[in-house]
C-alpha cells in the first residue's frame, strides 16, 4: 500500500507546523510547569523531525 504524493505532502506539513507549534508552546510552558513544558517541547520536536525525515524520503521517491 503506497501513499499518494498529495497525502504524503499533507502529512509532512501537518507534522512540521504542528511540531513547531507544540515545541513553541512547550517553551512557553516551561515557565509555569517544567516537566510539562519539556514534554511538549520534546513531543513537538519529534513531530518536526519526523516531518523532515518524510521530506527526505519523499525526495528519494521515484
Amino acid at each position: 500500500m503506497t501513499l499518494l504524493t498529495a497525502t504524503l505532502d499533507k502529512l509532512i506539513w501537518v507534522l512540521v507546523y504542528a511540531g513547531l507549534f507544540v515545541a513553541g508552546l512547550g517553551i512557553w510552558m516551561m515557565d509555569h510547569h517544567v516537566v510539562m513544558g519539556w514534554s511538549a517541547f520534546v513531543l513537538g520536536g519529534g513531530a518536526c523531525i519526523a516531518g523532515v525525515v518524510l521530506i527526505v524520503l519523499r525526495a528519494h521517491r521515484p
Side-chain angles (χ1 to χ4, degrees), residues 26-51:
I27 291 171
W28 175 79
M29 278 194 295
M30 282 183 202
D31 292 337
H32 306 289
H33 194 278
V34 176
V35 174
M36 191 182 307
W38 271 104
S39 298
F41 180 72
V42 169
L43 182 67
C48 191
I49 290 170

Side-chain angles (χ1 to χ4, degrees), residues 7-21:
T7 306
L8 186 60
D9 286 344
K10 290 176 187 174
L11 178 63
I12 287 169
W13 294 115
V14 165
L15 283 172
V16 169
Y17 284 120
L20 288 174
F21 176 74

Side-chain angles (χ1 to χ4, degrees), residues 1-4 61:
M1 183 170 156
T2 61
L3 283 175
L4 295 174
R61 202 172 180 190

